[in-house]
Amino acid sequence: MLSKALLRLGASAARHPWRVIAAWLIAATLAVLAAVAFGGRTADSMTAPGLDSQRAAELIERAGTGQEGMTAQVVVTPLDGAATFFDHDSARTALTRLQTEVKRLPHVLGTSDPAGALDAGGDTAVRGGLVSADGRIAVVRVQYPDQSRLSAEDLDALVDLGDRLRAEQPLRIEMGGNLFYAFSDPDGGASELIGLLAAAAILFLAFGSLVAAALPIGMAVFGLTVGVATMTVLAGVTDVPTFAPVLGSMVGLGVGIDYALFVLARHREYLARGLDPHEAAGRAVATAGRPVVFAGGTVVVSILGMAVANVPFMTVGGLAVSIVVLTMVLASVTLLPAFLGAAGPRLARVGRIGRALQTRKLGRLARLRDQTAGAAHAAGWRRWIGHVSRHPVPYAVGAAGLLLTATLPVLGLRVGLPDDGSLPHSRTERRAYDLVAEGFGPGTNGPLVIAADPTGDPGVLDRLVGAVAADPGIASVAPTHIDRATGIATLVVFPTTSPQDKATADTIARLRTDVLPTAIGHGPARAHVGGAAASLSDVGQRTSQRLPVFVAAVLAMSFLLLMLVFRSILVPLKAVLLNLLSIGAAYGIMVAVFQWGWGGALIGLEATVPIVSFIPMFLFAILFGLSMDYEVFLLSRIREEYLRTGDNGTAIVEGVSRTARIITSAALIMVAVFLSFAVAEDPSTKMFGLGLATAIFIDATVVRMVLVPATMTLLGRTNWWLPKWLDRMLPRGPVGTDDPDAESTGEAPRPRLV
């Protein structure tokens, strides 16, 4: 039924192209207008229910100390490198004015007072952690209310003030803090443009036609506009994390162009057979559109499955990205056939530039159009697949060994969140981070906040302060603040190590499991460790704990779906295992690049960083869905040949050779799009881009073109083994047939069940 529905939908869109295009134009306009009128800015909230850091935040909020709100810090040093705040009157005057101006900003609850501390004496300023011991660096800590009462306008106001004062003051002024982390705009615009240009070049070389190359790009731009605008409207209702628009653009461009390529390739095949453009578009959507719907649905279900982690920002981020993917699937089966119908028979022709490229033999990419123009056989791929099929054992062992070797670095995987020290030096947050670390020590960039309720044990606070200060991982403890109404105390403590350092996570764990329980004893008092560093550590631990459950659920779902589609036990089992290999290898390469620094300079990485805690789960969800795209597209052709000939070897060679060129060109487009994001400034964006590009490259080359034919040759006819009792239970349908009308004529010929 799905093929017939897609056939009617695609043919109708092709017959009435301008109606469909107008409908999409209206939808895009309404989405953009809604985003302008009701949309919100992205914001990060790294909290989750049930975590110790969340309990600390709840205690702090009860106390109303202001520690529960957002913070920023303004770090200053005299422009005269030899001057200090101890002996430079003009610098102290400028510092006083800076504090006054910052206090006047909207929503600022208060600031620290390094200028006042300097007036009271240099020792007072140093002991208060406001001025460095050498007198060169001062920090103005700015306290804001909680994130729900703020917006990106507050960040803009602080940045604008800094820009104005830099031109007027004898001070170097840098800024950072979690206000920047929560409201900074993602840096994806240039990467999107680079990805589009790379995809356009590959499509032109693949099809040899400007018209054919432009259609997938146009469809992707339409879909991305609607999807990202809808995401912006969602941000007006709830907190959408800042990575969501970047990830949505990255995945949306990749899958949108990929899906369009599959449909366009089939459409040109049907045109080459002499079909009318409207009928060719309908049949293309009916045949190639099924893997698109299946793969897109798998991506969406997998991403939404991340709700099992019980981390709200990940759930909302997954929902936002799913909106973009769903929009691209809808565009592939409605807007693209409308474009195909409007283009008419011109898509069957190759332009003069395309012919010139082929004549000058600019490489295999220029000849990829042969596959899409309806060539029955790809001789080069036939020779390669035939060679692999004749030597399946060495190729299977060699390829599996290569991927397992690439996976080995995963054993050293360390999750966390890169701090401002991993940003490029061109960012003010990085310069502020370096100044604070230089003047006060690396742990000052990631203070911990211990919230204690001493109910029933008034002496617990003294024991608590003494025990925390004595811990080897703590550099200093600020004076305790006690709320008179609730009795809740807050201690700001500074670790000896930076926020992203593994030693900081060890210190947090030691405080919770040893230091605090020993100081509190068995009385009614309680204490919890909070702060940004603790929250990020907690989120990382929770996602690591939930990842195996999530992976098992996605694997089980994929196995069941593939078993239903291909009516086999071993084919879906093999697909699941091979997908695990390619994703594991991508994880391993990410660890080698980001944690070990191998080749990091090639993508602009200036320092080693841990893997962002939520990225492994996101990558697994996205990559498993994308790999299903290639899996269904490839295995459908193999099964079609097997149903026709009954010969496993012939089916493998014919099926893979018929699809190899389109899979490799589609993968090349995805890799180009994803790699364009790997050169962004933000380390998280780099990880998403490199991880996705690596996994897609491995999946489309080593897995699809080596491991799949080798393992299927070794399995022989048992590839299609299905117990008879299970065969009777499963719904029947002609999966893999090239004829979308076959569903109305009964079941396709079935091979003998082994």
Side-chain angles (χ1 to χ4, degrees):
M1 295 299 293
L2 177 60
S3 290
K4 295 186 68 175
L6 291 174
L7 174 66
R8 290 193 295 268
L9 182 63
S12 176
R15 282 194 298 269
H16 309 286
W18 300 114
R19 296 181 186 177
V20 177
I21 294 172
W24 272 92
L25 277 171
I26 294 172
T29 302
L30 291 176
V32 171
L33 291 176
V36 172
F38 309 109
R41 296 283 292 269
T42 58
D44 287 311
S45 179
M46 297 291 184
T47 59
L51 299 177
D52 190 67
S53 54
Q54 180 66 23
R55 296 188 181 98
E58 291 167 357
L59 276 181
I60 295 170
E61 187 174 1
R62 274 182 52 198
T65 62
Q67 295 282 359
E68 74 278 8
M70 303 293 294
T71 60
Q73 58 184 14
V74 182
V75 189
V76 295
T77 186
L79 287 175
D80 181 357
T84 72
F85 285 104
F86 297 147
D87 56 20
H88 198 291
D89 291 338
S90 62
R92 292 172 69 165
T93 302
L95 179 59
T96 301
R97 181 187 172 191
L98 172 67
Q99 291 177 208
T100 302
E101 295 277 0
V102 171
K103 286 180 181 178
R104 292 174 179 171
L105 291 176
H107 298 130
V108 171
L109 300 178
T111 69
S112 61
D113 186 15
L118 283 166
D119 292 337
D123 290 343
T124 301
V126 172
R127 286 197 302 271
L130 302 176
V131 178
S132 62
D134 61 6
R136 290 183 51 255
I137 301 171
V139 177
V140 180
R141 296 187 175 91
V142 188
Q143 187 66 52
Y144 287 90
D146 63 84
Q147 185 170 330
S148 62
R149 296 169 57 187
L150 301 175
S151 69
E153 294 178 357
D154 294 285
L155 175 60
D156 295 339
L158 181 62
V159 171
D160 291 343
L161 174 63
D163 291 340
R164 178 169 59 84
L165 292 180
R166 283 189 188 98
E168 303 173 0
Q169 305 285 358
L171 300 175
R172 173 186 169 191
I173 302 174
E174 307 295 350
M175 299 179 176
N178 57 17
L179 185 72
F180 283 79
Y181 180 79
F183 294 111
S184 292
D185 286 327
D187 55 340
S191 297
E192 293 168 14
L193 179 60
I194 295 171
L196 280 172
L197 292 176
I202 296 168
L203 285 167
F204 177 68
L205 292 174
F207 291 112
S209 166
L210 289 174
V211 176
L215 296 188
I217 299 295
M219 190 213 77
V221 170
F222 261 97
L224 198 60
T225 301
V226 175
V228 173
T230 306
M231 186 188 301
T232 304
V233 174
L234 180 65
V237 179
T238 186
D239 288 337
V240 174
T242 54
F243 68 81
V246 176
L247 184 59
S249 298
M250 190 188 313
V251 175
L253 282 178
V255 302
I257 297 173
D258 209 33
Y259 295 164
L261 178 61
F262 287 161
V263 175
L264 180 57
R266 276 299 182 100
H267 177 72
R268 283 166 62 99
E269 286 185 23
Y270 287 126
L271 288 178
R273 297 180 190 178
L275 270 67
D276 176 83
H278 300 161
E279 184 181 359
R283 286 180 172 269
V285 173
T287 52
R290 284 179 300 169
V292 167
V293 172
F294 178 84
T298 304
V299 173
V300 169
V301 173
S302 298
I303 294 177
L304 293 180
M306 290 189 303
V308 301
N310 195 23
V311 178
F313 81 88
M314 289 179 59
T315 302
V316 176
L319 175 61
V321 175
S322 297
I323 290 173
V324 178
V325 176
L326 278 176
T327 304
M328 289 300 182
V329 172
L330 183 60
S332 299
V333 297
T334 57
L335 180 60
L336 181 60
F339 284 162
L340 299 180
R346 287 177 293 173
L347 289 175
R349 298 192 295 268
V350 177
R352 287 179 296 177
I353 299 177
R355 286 194 297 271
L357 286 172
Q358 187 185 25
T359 301
R360 295 175 186 177
K361 299 180 179 179
L362 292 184
R364 292 185 179 180
L365 277 176
R367 297 195 299 272
L368 279 171
R369 67 176 186 84
D370 291 343
Q371 169 69 17
T372 61
H377 302 285
W381 285 113
R382 283 175 55 85
R383 287 193 297 270
W384 168 251
I385 301 304
H387 175 70
V388 172
S389 299
R390 290 191 297 273
H391 307 87
V393 174
Y395 276 104
V397 173
L402 176 65
L403 296 185
L404 287 173
T405 301
T407 305
L408 287 178
V410 173
L411 299 176
L413 175 69
R414 180 170 67 87
V415 298
L417 193 77
D419 55 29
D420 289 345
S422 60
L423 294 174
H425 286 90
S426 59
R427 297 277 291 269
T428 185
E429 302 100 298
R430 170 62 186 272
R431 297 191 295 269
Y433 179 98
D434 289 343
L435 282 175
V436 170
E438 176 188 343
F440 303 94
T444 311
N445 282 299
L448 306 176
V449 182
I450 298 177
D453 184 355
T455 302
D457 189 354
V460 71
L461 291 181
D462 292 335
R463 299 196 305 272
L464 199 62
V465 172
V468 171
D471 186 87
I474 300 300
S476 62
V477 179
T480 305
H481 183 282
I482 302 176
D483 179 62
R484 293 183 178 181
T486 62
I488 294 173
T490 54
L491 290 79
V492 178
V493 302
F494 299 95
T496 58
T497 50
S498 66
Q500 69 178 11
D501 199 309
K502 184 179 183 299
T504 303
D506 294 339
T507 298
I508 295 171
R510 188 169 57 252
L511 290 175
R512 287 172 173 164
T513 60
D514 184 20
V515 177
L516 298 188
T518 300
I520 292 174
H522 299 289
R526 57 196 177 105
H528 304 284
V529 182
S535 296
L536 297 174
S537 177
D538 289 351
V539 169
Q541 289 184 8
R542 171 165 288 185
T543 54
S544 297
Q545 292 168 356
R546 301 290 175 88
L547 183 60
V549 177
F550 172 73
V551 169
V554 172
L555 294 181
M557 177 194 69
S558 302
F559 176 83
L560 292 174
L561 286 175
L562 288 174
M563 182 178 65
L564 180 63
V565 170
F566 294 108
R567 309 188 68 80
S568 165
I569 295 292
L570 295 181
V571 163
L573 179 61
K574 171 192 63 64
V576 165
L577 295 177
L578 295 186
N579 287 343
L580 276 178
L581 271 179
S582 61
I583 295 173
Y587 283 177
I589 292 172
M590 287 174 58
V591 171
V593 172
F594 291 98
Q595 289 185 209
W596 300 353
W598 293 6
L602 297 176
I603 57 172
L605 188 67
E606 298 186 3
T608 58
V609 294
I611 303 301
V612 177
S613 56
F614 54 83
I615 282 183
M617 189 173 284
F618 258 104
L619 281 184
F620 189 89
I622 295 169
L623 290 172
F624 222 88
L626 296 182
S627 64
M628 287 298 103
D629 189 355
Y630 298 141
E631 190 75 23
V632 173
F633 190 71
L634 174 62
L635 291 180
S636 294
R637 280 299 183 101
I638 294 177
R639 182 164 175 79
E640 177 185 337
E641 293 298 324
Y642 186 62
L643 292 174
R644 185 175 63 85
T645 66
D647 182 82
N648 184 69
T650 301
I652 294 170
V653 173
E654 291 295 326
V656 177
S657 63
R658 284 173 178 264
T659 56
R661 290 187 174 183
I662 197 66
I663 286 178
T664 52
S665 58
L668 185 59
I669 290 172
M670 273 205 182
V671 169
V673 170
F674 295 151
L675 280 181
S676 68
F677 285 83
V679 297
E681 288 187 348
D682 182 64
S684 301
T685 305
K686 290 180 184 293
M687 289 181 195
F688 275 124
L690 183 65
L692 289 169
T694 302
I696 292 298
F697 176 78
I698 292 172
D699 189 79
T701 55
V702 179
V703 173
R704 302 298 157 206
M705 301 304 141
V706 179
L707 278 173
V708 167
T711 54
M712 292 191 74
T713 299
L714 290 172
L715 291 173
R717 292 178 63 86
T718 56
N719 278 303
W720 312 107
W721 172 72
L722 185 71
K724 291 184 178 180
W725 61 268
L726 184 58
D727 179 51
R728 289 190 294 268
M729 293 176 59
L730 295 178
R732 298 185 181 277
V735 178
T737 180
D738 192 46
D739 184 4
D741 296 325
E743 289 186 77
S744 63
T745 62
E747 184 187 1
R750 302 281 321 283
R752 179 177 62 85
L753 295 175
V754 178

